[in-house]
Amino acid sequence: MRVTVIGAGVAGLSSAIELAERGAGVELLERATTLAGAGCSWYAGGMLAPWCELENGGPLVARLGEEGLAWWRERFPATALNGTLVIAHGRDAGELKQFGRRTHHFEALGAEALGALEPELAGRFASALHFGAEGHLDPRAALATLLERARALGVSVRFGVAAEARALAGREVLDCTGLAARAALGDLRGVRGEMLLLRAPEVALSRPVRVLHPRFPVYVVPRGDGVYLLGATMLESDAERRVSARSVLELLSAAYALHPAFGEAEILETGTGIRAAFPDNLPRIRRAGGTLYGHGFLLAPALARRAAQVLLEGRHFAEVMDEDPRQRRLA
């Protein structure tokens, strides 16, 4: 079987690999001219946190995410597996307790244990939750590795090619274009995320830190060499625009409250991406298939594996499919 995959973000690349490894002939089409333009994957946080996602995503997201975590460990050796730290300032201590009630696979830490785990945070917080089995990765390095793997498997990758699934009549098509598939699916909406990339050489965090807040939770993800990704706003909007001044102020304020040395950080980059979401925010493989909400790097491998099995083996996965399994064009 020959399959056309549209979109070279994390969903498209992982799907192309899963298909090619099963013997399919695959072409991957991307309208952008480079990986940097291939959707919001370039600006992702890269957190592989299935048990943290239980707070909002529920057991399905956690189960698929755990599968994805194992996939990344095998496919991207630079995946870091030293956990996620969840904290809250004193006035938001109730948020931390609530987070703990909704999740599992964590160890509750007091101030002393927290300081031993992350010396940079010693004396700053009274308690924390450590999800020790979780991980994180650098999305840009991971995308480059996936692209190299796809090409090694014989996938024909073509950048600068605009394509629509409905225009490719007579082909098996896997549409991984996110919000661009809205015309075909109808019920997708856009959720804009904003991020900052900072260089703060005086800060030495070794794992992602989530700072809970009832209105503006943030996360800080180490990229190495004193570089950190700071994110992320989640705005109900599909407007393509630059990061707002308000978001920058709030993100930087949150980082400064986490560690004052972030006040001297150099802003390397700002970025924004519009993620596609179904009304219930859960992942889907549909008539036109797998559209991911907010957990792209976490869920993409599990969705890609299932999409490949639907196309090549006629499988049906009720937990993520709400269409007739005989439909052959996925998105």
Side-chain angles (χ1 to χ4, degrees), residues 7-304:
V10 65
L13 284 166
S14 55
S15 295
I17 289 170
E18 286 289 329
L19 286 161
E21 287 181 343
R22 287 170 169 76
V26 184
E27 67 171 349
L28 177 61
L29 307 180
E30 169 54 51
R31 64 181 177 181
T33 57
T34 66
L35 278 178
C40 55
S41 295
W42 193 251
Y43 298 107
M47 293 182 295
L48 306 176
W51 297 289
C52 279
E53 296 299 341
L54 279 167
E55 184 204 15
N56 291 314
L60 174 62
V61 170
R63 180 162 54 84
L64 296 179
E66 186 175 1
E67 183 179 329
L69 181 59
W71 193 91
W72 283 112
R73 291 179 64 183
E74 178 183 349
R75 306 307 180 91
F76 185 59
T79 300
L81 296 170
N82 51 0
T84 303
L85 195 61
V86 182
I87 60 176
H89 296 283
R91 63 184 179 276
D92 301 320
E95 297 290 322
L96 190 64
K97 292 179 181 180
Q98 186 178 53
F99 196 95
R101 287 194 294 267
R102 293 178 175 176
T103 58
H104 54 70
H105 277 62
F106 64 82
E107 178 187 6
L109 305 179
E112 184 176 348
L114 170 58
L117 186 68
E118 284 288 1
E120 292 285 322
L121 303 180
R124 300 184 186 278
F125 298 89
S127 60
L129 306 178
H130 181 223
F131 294 77
E134 296 186 338
H136 69 282
L137 50 76
D138 181 339
R140 298 177 183 185
L143 290 172
T145 297
L146 293 187
L147 178 60
E148 181 180 356
R149 172 63 177 165
R151 284 174 165 157
L153 288 167
V155 175
S156 172
V157 183
R158 298 164 59 196
F159 286 92
V161 178
E164 293 185 10
R166 58 187 176 183
L168 299 175
R171 305 191 201 181
E172 304 290 2
V173 178
L174 180 60
D175 187 336
C176 298
T177 57
L179 195 61
R182 181 164 53 183
L185 297 182
D187 59 347
L188 290 179
R189 75 183 198 280
V191 180
R192 193 170 81 242
E194 299 167 314
M195 53 74 75
L196 304 178
L197 202 62
L198 309 176
R199 177 177 286 118
E202 295 182 5
V203 182
L205 298 174
S206 57
R207 54 186 51 79
V209 178
R210 295 186 181 220
V211 185
L212 303 181
H213 186 277
R215 185 179 61 85
F216 198 82
V218 300
Y219 54 79
V220 178
V221 186
R223 288 281 191 261
D225 297 323
V227 175
Y228 295 88
L229 181 136
L230 178 61
T233 60
M234 294 181 64
L235 307 174
E236 291 286 337
S237 172
D238 58 8
E240 295 187 6
R241 49 171 293 183
R242 296 181 184 274
V243 178
S244 70
R246 177 177 180 176
S247 294
V248 171
L249 288 170
E250 291 182 323
L251 288 169
L252 291 177
S253 294
Y256 181 77
L258 174 66
H259 196 298
F262 278 114
E264 302 300 321
E266 177 187 0
I267 300 177
L268 302 178
E269 184 180 335
T270 65
T272 182
I274 302 175
R275 294 161 288 187
F278 286 106
D280 60 4
N281 296 336
L282 292 177
R284 292 279 195 284
I285 295 176
R286 246 194 204 175
R287 168 189 69 88
T291 301
L292 309 182
Y293 170 73
H295 317 285
F297 278 81
L298 180 64
L299 296 188
L303 270 291

